[in-house]
Amino acid sequence: MGDGVGAGGRQSAGFAALGALLPVRTARLASTARVAAVAAVASSTVEALQYGLRLGRLSSIDDVIVNTAGAALAALITRRWWASRVAAGTVPR
């Protein structure tokens, strides 16, 4: 069980980084809702691959929810930082 919890935490941390940095990559994704949508699709893809490729890991909707929430929370926390860059026009469209 320890491996699953550690791996899930690392995966969630990756989605938090996605949520914090995605709005800086492109102005089209500079909203919390769009970040959450991208994170949900990406996390669903990861879970589907884990299930389809039988990698020995459990696939769970809980992982999708936690990863999406982590990305959205990271986007909210870092919004002040990336919103100023979007407004200044320094983020690619």
Side-chain angles (χ1 to χ4, degrees), residues 4 8 10 14-15 25 34-35 38 41 47 54-56 60-61 65-66 69 82-83 87 89 92:
R10 287 189 298 273
F15 280 94
R25 181 65 183 110
R34 289 182 181 167
V35 167
V38 169
V41 169
E47 293 301 317
R54 303 186 195 280
L55 299 176
S60 171
I61 189 66
I65 293 168
V66 169
W82 54 258

Side-chain angles (χ1 to χ4, degrees), residues 20-57:
L21 298 174
L22 191 62
V24 179
R25 181 65 183 110
T26 176
R28 281 180 271 167
L29 298 176
S31 78
T32 306
R34 289 182 181 167
V35 167
V38 169
V41 169
S43 185
S44 296
T45 302
V46 168
E47 293 301 317
L49 286 171
Q50 286 177 356
Y51 178 77
L53 297 176
R54 303 186 195 280
L55 299 176
R57 295 207 48 213

Side-chain angles (χ1 to χ4, degrees), residues 53-87:
L53 297 176
R54 303 186 195 280
L55 299 176
R57 295 207 48 213
L58 293 175
S59 295
S60 171
I61 189 66
D62 294 343
D63 289 342
V64 175
I65 293 168
V66 169
N67 292 339
T68 301
L73 183 62
L76 285 172
I77 290 170
T78 60
R79 182 175 176 79
R80 200 172 203 189
W81 172 68
W82 54 258
S84 62
R85 283 159 175 74
V86 171

